[in-house]
């Protein structure tokens, strides 16, 4: 079975049921099926076959879904690209994934772009039926770029089976059904919005109100008009929701049966304040691009603040100490994961793939402890990864960019705590001479996604280093 066979429970089985609203446009599951058949026929007419890659550089929109479903039907591998990425970041992905095309709303400078609107217009004249292409569950469905512990980002290859395991797990454990109404503003280019949001709804037959993105100022009106039953957010969004008055919060929460948080740590205080204001206990869970969802607080039973709960069905979790032994209760170590949800490989990176696994388990780089009643608590990361608003930032990528600039001799980037975004990047730089800070920020903005642009530059005469020459970032953080 591939994931389309599972989506067919809704695409075919709930043909006339309302599937999605987006900016005033409403489509049934049958219409989604037909539109993606036409798009699949169009892509096929352009020579796309199983195993080819197609990059999508799009904000959330119906056309993203048409193209995504069309690719899955054809066995074409979707490579979603963060819409906040600039030319430099996009070029890296395009050079690595070697897609047959990159689809965008507007031409991307210096990248051969296919414009989504003309593709959709041409697809409308194609046959509404699509002759099934036989693909099994191990067929790659998507390559999602993530940086791991190194500076350059690597493509995690996720198969149809990985996504199937994730959808079946969450639909069962979080009781997602065709009666649910999901307010989905998280980006479809990341697994949180894509695999937890869209896939689960397509399998269960839930309704989706899709937003181009979350703009927290508009959420009150959207909640009241749509009356969702289900809401997924990153901690930043929950912090933003706390700006509501208690009366508004109660109204907003009145239709909802489940609020889920993930992608970054949810501060226990935010969980408590949210309970007071909205009357809901947020369910926190833990996942990764490479593994999809791993560990989740229970739907029924105690959702314990500060923890991520229990391993999901089929997911084996080991905590491995620095001595390489399996940790006991309350003993800290790195989380290792095995299960049908875990990715198969980094695209074209056999060495990186090999070093990412140990004894068949994926080494997550996340540190944790488990309590005597089985709740897992994350304790930070082995790597220097910064998570800001749920978006990952790899310091080395920014450091490399800064050091390519003529005016910078050395650079070190660290994350500092921020009450809204969780963390923010700041840069320590050793310049060659006088530094024009404004110009430096402009250069960063032109080359890097907005969330990666250092919020502050601190000029140093030299960086503190160990005897071996490694920058002592803990000293910089202080
Ligand atoms: C953020 N911005 C966007 C955007 N999201 N721009 C366009 N499209 C989007 N989708 C930009 C804004 O322009 C602004 O840029 C900055 O980000 C912050 O915007 P804001 O309005 O102040 O929003 P804020 O309250 O900070 O909230 C941002 C956010 C966003 C939470 C809505 O960060 C977000 O959507 N995060 C979700 C990331 C995600 O899905 N992660 C999952 C990864 S998968 P400027 O220039 O003003 O700074 C994973 C695995 C797992 O981690 O476990 O899930
Ligand atoms: P990504 O590479 O974008 O998939 O991000 C995955 C990382 O997000 C994980 O390795 C964790 O460090 C972090 N993460 C996800 N969920 C949580 C959570 N509930 N609490 C803390 N960190 C989380």
């Amino acid at each position: 079975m591939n994931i389309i066979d599972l989506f067919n429970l809704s695409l075919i089985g709930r043909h006339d049921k309302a599937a999605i609203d987006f900016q005033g446009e409403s489509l049934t599951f049958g219409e989604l099926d037909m539109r993606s058949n036409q798009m699949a026929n169009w892509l096929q007419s352009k020579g796309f076959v199983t195993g080819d890659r197609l990059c999508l550089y799009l904000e959330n929109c119906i056309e993203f879904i048409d193209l995504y479903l069309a690719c899955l039907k054809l066995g074409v591998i979707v490579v979603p690209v963060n819409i906040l990425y600039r030319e430099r970041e996009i070029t890296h992905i395009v050079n690595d994934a070697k897609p047959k095309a990159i689809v965008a709303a507007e031409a991307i400078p210096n990248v051969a772009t296919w414009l989504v609107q003309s593709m959709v217009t041409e697809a409308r004249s194609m046959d509404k039926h699509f002759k099934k292409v036989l693909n099994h569950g191990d067929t790659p469905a998507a390559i999602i770029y993530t940086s791991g512990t190194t500076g350059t980002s690597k493509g995690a290859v996720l198969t149809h089976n990985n996504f199937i395991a994730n959808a079946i797990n969450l639909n069962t454990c979080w009781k997602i059904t065709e009666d649910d109404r999901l307010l989905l503003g998280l980006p479809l280019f990341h697994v949180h919005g894509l695999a937890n949001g869209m896939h689960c709804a397509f399998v269960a037959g839930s309704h989706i109100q899709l937003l181009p993105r979350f703009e927290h100022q508009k959420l009150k009106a959207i909640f009241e008009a749509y009356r969702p039953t289900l809401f997924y957010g990153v901690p930043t969004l929950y912090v933003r929701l706390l700006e509501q008055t208690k009366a508004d919060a109660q109204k907003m929460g009145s239709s909802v049966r489940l609020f889920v948080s993930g992608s970054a740590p949810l501060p226990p205080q935010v969980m408590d304040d949210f309970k007071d204001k909205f009357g809901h206990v947020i369910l926190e869970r833990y996942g990764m691009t490479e593994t999809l969802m791993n560990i989740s607080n229970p739907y029924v039973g105690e959702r314990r603040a500060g923890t991520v709960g229990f391993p999901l069905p089929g997911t084996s979790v080991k905590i491995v100490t620095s001595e390489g032994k399996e940790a006991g209760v309350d003993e800290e170590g790195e989380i290792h994961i095995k299960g049908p949800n875990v990715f198969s490989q980094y695209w074209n990176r056999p060495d990186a793939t090999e070093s990412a696994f140990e004894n068949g388990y994926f080494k997550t780089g996340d540190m944790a402890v488990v309590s005597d009643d089985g709740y897992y608590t994350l304790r930070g990361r082995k790597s220097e990864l910064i998570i800001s608003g749920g978006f990952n930032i790899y310091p080395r990528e920014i450091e490399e960019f800064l050091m390519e600039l003529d005016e910078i001799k050395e650079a070190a980037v660290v994350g500092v705590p921020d009450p809204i975004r969780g963390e923010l990047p700041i840069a320590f730089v050793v310049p060659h001479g006088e530094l024009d800070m404004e110009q430096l920020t402009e250069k960063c903005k032109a080359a890097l996604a907005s969330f990666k642009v250092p919020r502050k530059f601190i000029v140093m005469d030299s960086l503190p280093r160990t005897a071996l020459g490694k920058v002592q970032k803990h000293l910089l953080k202080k």
Side-chain angles (χ1 to χ4, degrees), residues 85-126:
Y85 280 6
R86 322 304 309 160
E87 185 186 325
R88 172 191 170 92
E89 295 151 317
I90 300 167
T91 305
H92 168 73
I93 293 177
V94 169
N95 288 343
D96 193 65
K98 302 204 167 37
K100 253 193 145 131
I102 173 154
V103 184
E106 287 165 21
I108 307 166
N110 302 314
V111 177
T113 323
W114 286 15
L115 297 181
V116 68
Q117 223 39 61
S118 46
M119 293 170 72
V120 168
T121 308
E122 286 182 33
R124 290 220 176 99
S125 59
M126 302 303 289

Side-chain angles (χ1 to χ4, degrees), residues 199-470:
H199 287 182
C200 288
F202 284 179
V203 174
S206 324
H207 188 268
I208 297 176
Q209 159 114 43
L210 185 71
L211 308 175
R213 51 169 299 208
F214 276 126
E215 288 164 286
H216 60 92
Q217 303 86 343
K218 298 184 182 165
L219 282 179
K220 178 168 129 19
I222 294 171
F223 264 79
E224 286 175 12
Y226 182 57
R227 298 193 56 73
T229 62
L230 198 51
F231 183 86
Y232 297 141
V234 295
T236 300
L237 275 167
Y238 288 103
V239 173
R240 295 292 198 193
L241 282 173
L242 290 175
E243 291 165 12
Q244 303 292 333
T245 63
K246 186 154 180 175
D248 285 338
Q250 294 283 320
K251 249 194 263 166
M252 289 170 78
S254 64
S255 60
V256 181
R257 70 169 182 85
L258 180 63
F259 286 94
V260 182
S261 176
S263 309
L266 179 70
Q269 188 61 47
V270 174
M271 188 160 159
D272 288 349
D273 294 348
F274 197 84
K275 181 159 181 270
D276 284 348
K277 267 205 169 157
F278 284 76
H280 283 272
V281 181
I282 298 170
L283 185 155
E284 184 173 6
R285 57 59 180 178
Y286 159 64
M288 276 184 94
T289 300
E290 287 94 333
T291 63
L292 304 173
M293 299 307 110
N294 299 314
I295 305 183
S296 170
N297 267 286
Y299 184 75
V300 176
E302 186 195 358
R303 297 176 195 165
R304 193 174 294 173
T307 80
V308 289
F310 313 120
L312 284 162
T315 306
S316 306
V317 177
K318 277 199 298 197
I319 297 184
V320 180
T321 65
S322 49
E323 291 88 49
K325 296 205 184 72
E326 214 170 311
V329 166
D330 290 334
E331 198 181 350
E332 188 171 302
E334 183 187 0
I335 301 195
H336 291 195
I337 303 274
K338 191 172 80 173
N341 50 316
V342 178
F343 79 135
S344 50
Q345 55 171 304
Y346 290 113
W347 180 251
N348 277 342
R349 298 287 302 274
D351 294 350
T353 305
E354 203 191 321
S355 56
F357 286 86
E358 191 176 289
N359 302 322
Y361 280 71
F362 173 64
K363 299 184 280 183
T364 63
D366 289 310
M367 306 301 286
V369 292
V370 62
S371 67
D372 59 1
D373 57 352
Y375 282 83
Y376 284 76
T377 299
L378 298 180
R379 284 272 183 86
R381 293 172 296 268
K382 255 176 126 171
S383 70
E384 296 169 355
L385 171 70
I386 300 167
I387 305 183
S388 190
F391 287 121
N392 288 3
I393 303 171
Y394 289 89
R396 205 169 116 190
E397 186 192 343
I398 306 173
E399 289 159 5
E400 280 170 8
F401 168 72
L402 290 172
M403 285 190 282
E404 281 169 26
L405 302 175
D406 289 340
E407 59 268 41
I408 306 275
K409 198 154 76 182
E410 289 182 83
V413 173
V414 299
V416 292
D418 178 72
I420 295 170
R421 304 255 168 83
E423 289 177 289
L424 289 175
I426 64 166
F428 292 83
V429 291
V430 181
H432 279 295
E434 278 294 296
L435 254 194
D436 181 336
M437 292 296 182
E438 235 167 78
Q439 212 181 51
L440 184 58
T441 303
E442 284 316 309
K443 284 184 185 173
C444 288
K445 280 189 180 162
L448 302 169
S450 61
F451 57 90
K452 296 183 193 169
V453 176
R455 292 304 191 272
K456 208 176 191 181
F457 291 95
I458 297 170
V459 176
M460 310 274 284
D461 292 332
S462 64
L463 297 176
R465 291 183 184 272
T466 62
L468 294 173
K470 197 170 160 17

